């Protein structure tokens, strides 16, 4: 809606890739078992958008919706989605399936830190 666009425009753009990597590095987000809120499988990080949104909303003291997070990663071709542009499922639960290499590129962060996290 137009209202959402206006609201989104008032918010400084958050680099969700950098936030995610930083939060994993600081153990604010823990990579758990497959099927948990956030886990790694192959070259992808799976995270529930609602889980990530809650953490970001608490940090920034504003509502950051799962849709906004999904859109961010889709627009940057970081998330692997189905042909109909919906997020992937793992064991029946919907996740953002994020490509670690693209996540790293988008974050513009310290690649050594990222490498030590993921490899």
């Amino acid at each position: 809606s137009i209202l959402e666009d206006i609201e989104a425009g008032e918010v400084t753009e958050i680099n969700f890739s950098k936030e995610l990597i930083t939060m994993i590095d600081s153990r604010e987000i823990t990579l758990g078992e497959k099927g948990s809120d956030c886990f790694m499988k192959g070259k992808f990080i799976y995270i529930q958008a609602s889980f990530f949104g809650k953490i970001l909303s608490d940090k920034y003291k504003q509502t950051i919706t799962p849709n906004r997070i999904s859109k961010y990663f889709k627009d940057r071709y970081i998330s692997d989605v189905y042909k109909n542009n919906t997020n992937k499922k793992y064991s029946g639960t919907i996740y953002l399936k994020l490509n670690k290499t693209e996540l790293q590129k988008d974050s513009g962060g310290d690649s050594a830190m990222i490498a030590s996290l993921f490899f």
Side-chain angles (χ1 to χ4, degrees), residues 15-107:
N15 183 322
F16 293 141
S17 298
K18 189 172 187 167
E19 286 294 334
L20 180 59
I21 289 165
T22 305
M23 287 175 176
I24 290 171
D25 188 51
S26 68
R27 306 259 187 286
E28 217 174 319
I29 292 178
T30 311
L31 291 170
E33 297 292 307
K34 288 183 177 121
S36 62
D37 292 327
C38 183
F39 64 94
M40 239 173 6
K41 185 171 178 265
K43 61 180 183 146
F44 292 97
I45 292 178
Y46 287 74
I47 187 165
Q48 291 183 12
S50 54
F51 167 74
F52 191 32
K54 186 182 179 331
I55 293 170
L56 287 170
S57 296
D58 290 348
K59 178 175 179 177
Y60 285 96
K61 307 289 180 250
Q62 56 171 274
T63 303
I64 298 174
T65 63
N67 283 349
R68 181 173 161 198
I69 295 169
S70 292
K71 184 177 180 342
Y72 177 95
F73 289 120
K74 281 179 198 171
D75 287 352
R76 288 162 181 77
Y77 302 100
I78 296 168
S79 61
D80 184 23
V81 292
Y82 293 116
K83 283 192 174 72
N84 66 359
N85 211 24
T86 58
N87 288 317
K88 294 281 182 165
K89 285 188 178 177
Y90 182 86
S91 295
T93 305
I94 297 171
Y95 285 92
L96 298 170
K97 182 180 176 187
L98 307 175
N99 182 307
K100 289 188 295 198
T101 308
E102 296 304 320
L103 204 58
Q104 179 178 333
K105 282 185 208 159
D106 184 58
S107 75

Side-chain angles (χ1 to χ4, degrees), residues 7-15 60 62 68:
E7 285 171 2
E10 289 170 7
V11 176
T12 51
E13 192 52 53
I14 300 165
N15 183 322
Y60 285 96
Q62 56 171 274
R68 181 173 161 198

